[in-house]
């Protein structure tokens, strides 16, 4: 029969990769908890209009990357392409603003985007992310950035930080008009995508990677010249706070992000080590979004990081607990072996009970393959083998053997 394969852009994450995945998530979780964020487990699907209204009608995500379908009840549903829109929806719907508006949430899980699959880019990928609601001060922006860099530090990942400010929607509108005007003069020299972007999403032209487009945008009007005193002041404060925290950054006036909801601060943590998909974490402020989705006027900010991209940068996971294999010499000892294995596990030892049929030799081969550090032979008298040295020791009492293993397997 023909073999069924996984769907294009989707992955099985297993073995060492699964360990890396867990390591990334556990590290992030630990940091989130230290910063007193609480977890939110969000649904995988949302009403399509949630993303249209937040991420933006003209963005790539909404225009061409969403998995949209109708359920059996005729509802138009999307697999979530990102987490912020859902977190904001939940913040409003679950009335989390009741506590004076203040709320700090983190999430973890799968996101779906119909993109061209390549290294570091998949159709199902996974993010960790966090959101802060109800705080206006740029000190919160600095603290959020600090938290992301703490996660990256703990994972031993080296990145550079780029920051920019997009100002408020009205200022940006004026800028967009000026930018459109400028881009129209160079329309024929822009790439095909950017030609379309002039009308639909001109800001995106600024982060086009095509050489010619870059040359053109190098001389384009700059957003920062269109921003209000207030936005500029906020940005200056943020930079000062980052300096104080010892966080290095580059100001990148072309950093715009692909989602419409950002206001003022935006940032990206970037690496050059994994090719073109170099942004590992990104975020910013979205002070208008809660109101825009029908909630009370609430300043907010957040970030998301791609777990697969972090995995590409994680060199090693923490050392593993050593494995003990319990091996009955003949099947008459199976029940005794089961008992010993249970006893080891309840003493905190990672134990594999090898009940597979076959010769002792084939069983030892398997024990080697699964990387056993110790083998306990169950027969008349229990025997302990140290796999690294090949030494063997016979015990008259199994409890003594267990005691030795508990000591030897401590990490
Ligand atoms: P990119 O510019 O790489 O497309 P983006 O601007 O679309 O990223 P965001 O929507 O801000 O990214 O998502 C935050 C992070 O999620 C990214 O920085 C990246 O690490 C990760 N990410 C986004 N899309 C994918 C994908 N298709 N596959 C794997 N990771 C992704
Ligand atoms: Mg993208």
């Amino acid at each position: 029969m023909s073999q069924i394969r996984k769907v294009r852009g989707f992955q099985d994450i297993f073995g060492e990769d699964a360990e890396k995945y867990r390591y990334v998530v556990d590290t992030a979780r630990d940091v989130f908890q230290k910063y007193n964020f609480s977890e939110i487990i969000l649904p995988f699907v949302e009403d399509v209009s949630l993303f249209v209204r937040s991420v933006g009608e003209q963005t790539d995500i909404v225009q061409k990357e969403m998995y949209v379908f109708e359920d059996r009840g005729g509802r138009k549903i999307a697999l979530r392409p990102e987490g912020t829109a859902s977190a904001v929806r939940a913040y409003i719907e679950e009335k989390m603003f009741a506590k004076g508006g203040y709320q700090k949430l983190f999430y973890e899980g799968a996101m779906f985007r119909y993109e061209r699959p390549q290294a570091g880019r998949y159709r199902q990928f996974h993010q960790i992310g966090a959101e802060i609601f109800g705080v206006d001060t740029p000190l919160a922006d600095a603290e959020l950035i600090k938290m992301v860099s703490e996660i990256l530090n703990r994972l031993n990942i080296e990145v550079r930080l780029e920051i920019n400010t997009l100002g408020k929607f009205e200022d940006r509108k004026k800028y967009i008009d000026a930018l459109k005007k400028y881009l129209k003069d160079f329309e024929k020299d822009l790439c095909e995508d950017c030609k379309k972007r002039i009308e639909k999403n001109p800001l995106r032209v600024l982060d086009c990677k095509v050489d010619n487009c870059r040359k053109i945008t190098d001389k384009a009007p700059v957003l920062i010249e269109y921003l209000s005193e207030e936005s500029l002041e906020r940005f200056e404060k943020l930079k000062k706070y980052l300096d104080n925290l010892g966080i290095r950054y580059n100001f990148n006036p072309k950093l715009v992000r692909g989602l419409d909801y950002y206001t003022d601060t935006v940032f990206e943590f970037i690496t050059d080590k994994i090719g073109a998909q170099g942004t590992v974490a990104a975020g910013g402020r979205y002070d208008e979004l809660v109101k825009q989705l029908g909630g009370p006027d609430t300043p907010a900010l957040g970030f998301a990081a791609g777990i697969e991209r972090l995995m590409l940068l994680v060199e090693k996971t923490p050392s593993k607990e050593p494995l003990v294999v319990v091996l009955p010499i003949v099947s008459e000892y199976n029940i005794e072996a089961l008992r010993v294995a249970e006893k080891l596990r309840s003493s905190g030892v990672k134990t594999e009970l090898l009940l597979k049929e076959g010769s002792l030799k084939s069983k030892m081969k398997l024990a080697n393959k699964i990387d056993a550090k110790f083998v306990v032979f169950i027969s008349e008298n229990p025997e302990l083998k140290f796999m690294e040295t090949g030494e063997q020791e016979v015990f008259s009492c199994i409890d003594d053997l267990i005691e030795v293993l508990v000591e030897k397997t401590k990490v």
Side-chain angles (χ1 to χ4, degrees):
M1 267 219 272
S2 71
Q3 191 188 338
I4 298 169
R5 293 177 187 280
K6 54 186 182 272
V7 176
R8 182 168 150 80
F10 290 72
Q11 294 196 93
D12 300 308
I13 302 173
F14 63 100
E16 221 170 281
D17 282 341
E19 270 165 39
K20 274 191 183 170
Y21 184 102
R22 241 347 110 205
Y23 172 52
V24 167
V25 172
D26 289 349
T27 304
R29 262 175 187 282
D30 196 51
V31 175
F32 291 146
Q33 254 132 25
K34 292 283 183 299
Y35 281 76
N36 199 31
F37 281 70
S38 57
E39 181 163 17
I40 183 160
I41 300 165
L42 295 160
F44 279 74
V45 295
E46 296 278 1
D47 191 318
V48 175
S49 51
L50 174 67
F51 302 111
V52 177
R53 269 170 64 186
S54 56
V55 173
E57 177 103 56
Q58 296 303 336
T59 59
D60 284 353
I61 293 180
V62 168
Q63 286 278 311
K64 49 189 190 198
E65 294 175 3
M66 271 205 296
Y67 280 88
V68 178
F69 60 96
E70 223 173 73
D71 74 1
R72 288 172 194 271
R75 294 172 195 88
K76 226 176 159 203
I77 275 177
L79 289 180
R80 60 183 190 196
E82 61 113 49
T84 299
S86 301
V88 173
R89 192 233 353 102
Y91 173 82
I92 300 166
E93 191 168 358
E94 311 305 343
K95 301 195 171 42
M96 292 182 207
F97 48 82
K99 289 183 266 172
Y102 189 55
Q103 185 67 248
K104 283 157 57 183
L105 301 173
F106 81 87
Y107 62 84
E108 166 230 328
M111 305 293 161
F112 303 85
R113 295 184 195 177
Y114 196 81
E115 300 195 74
R116 195 169 70 78
Q118 51 200 291
R121 193 177 291 289
Y122 313 97
R123 289 181 177 173
Q124 178 183 326
F125 62 101
H126 301 79
Q127 286 183 334
I128 43 172
E131 320 289 344
I132 303 173
F133 295 97
V135 198
D136 192 28
T137 163
L139 206 50
D141 308 37
E143 202 191 19
L144 179 76
I145 289 172
K146 172 72 192 161
M147 179 171 76
V148 182
S149 66
E150 176 71 24
I151 295 171
L152 297 168
N153 276 344
R154 287 211 199 173
L155 293 171
N156 233 328
I157 291 176
E158 262 178 62
V159 284
R160 64 172 190 277
L161 168 64
E162 296 198 345
I163 59 171
N164 190 18
T165 174
L166 300 179
K168 301 289 185 208
F169 286 148
E170 303 127 55
D171 303 331
R172 197 145 86 219
K173 235 192 256 152
K174 279 183 247 155
Y175 170 69
I176 287 172
D177 287 341
L179 180 64
K180 268 190 195 168
K181 222 166 127 204
Y182 170 86
L183 291 173
K184 271 188 195 142
D185 288 342
F186 297 92
E187 186 165 355
K188 61 174 189 346
D189 300 320
L190 291 168
C191 74
E192 287 312 307
D193 281 338
C194 282
K195 276 183 186 141
K196 285 181 223 144
R197 287 179 183 137
I198 296 182
E199 281 309 319
K200 290 191 161 171
N201 201 356
L203 284 178
R204 276 309 244 183
V205 179
L206 293 179
D207 68 3
C208 180
K209 309 279 186 293
V210 177
D211 262 355
N212 232 4
C213 298
R214 281 192 173 190
K215 273 186 203 138
I216 292 168
T217 54
D218 277 342
K219 300 206 175 71
V222 281
L223 177 56
I224 202 144
E225 282 167 19
Y226 289 76
L227 301 189
S228 67
E229 233 5 80
E230 196 193 332
S231 284
L232 293 175
E233 219 171 275
R234 159 184 280 285
F235 194 51
E236 286 312 308
K237 278 189 187 154
L238 170 62
K239 288 194 282 188
K240 199 182 83 194
Y241 297 143
L242 290 176
D243 291 337
N244 268 304
L245 286 166
I247 296 176
R248 271 182 293 164
Y249 54 83
N250 301 315
F251 165 51
N252 175 0
K254 284 184 173 185
L255 181 69
V256 291
R257 313 285 307 116
L259 303 88
D260 281 354
Y261 51 62
Y262 288 114
T263 49
D264 289 319
T265 312
V266 286
F267 62 86
E268 287 193 2
F269 286 88
I270 303 168
T271 170
D272 299 318
K273 288 190 187 147
I274 51 174
Q277 315 327 317
T279 302
V280 295
R285 243 185 204 279
Y286 48 89
D287 286 345
E288 307 290 330
L289 186 56
V290 179
K291 193 172 56 184
Q292 210 175 294
L293 290 177
D297 199 355
T298 310
L301 64 156
F303 90 98
I307 297 175
E308 285 81 357
R309 291 192 196 169
L310 295 173
M311 283 163 59
L312 288 171
L313 294 163
V314 166
E315 275 170 9
K316 53 174 194 277
T317 47
S319 57
K320 281 185 242 166
E321 247 182 274
L323 176 67
V324 172
V325 160
V326 175
L327 206 165
I329 292 293
V330 284
S331 56
E332 281 71 50
Y333 292 107
N334 277 0
I335 292 176
E336 170 65 3
L338 185 68
R339 208 180 58 80
V340 172
E342 283 312 316
K343 220 165 175 179
L344 278 164
R345 287 166 188 147
S346 61
S347 314
V349 176
K350 183 160 90 172
T351 307
E352 171 82 32
L353 174 59
L354 244 183
L355 293 174
K356 185 182 173 296
E357 297 293 320
S359 65
L360 188 59
K361 201 173 156 204
S362 74
K363 288 180 187 170
M364 281 309 284
K365 226 172 154 180
L366 181 58
N368 257 315
K369 220 172 175 173
I370 61 176
D371 208 17
K373 292 283 176 282
F374 305 92
V375 175
V376 180
F377 297 106
I378 306 294
S379 66
E380 195 56 42
N381 286 313
E383 203 169 326
L384 175 60
K385 182 171 175 133
F386 298 80
M387 296 297 272
E388 258 149 31
T389 59
E391 275 171 83
Q392 260 171 253
E393 195 180 337
V394 183
F395 287 77
S396 53
C397 161
I398 189 69
D399 288 336
D400 293 346
L401 185 152
I402 289 173
E403 208 174 293
V404 169
L405 276 178
V406 168
E407 199 46 48
K408 295 266 179 210
T409 53
K410 269 188 191 147
V411 272

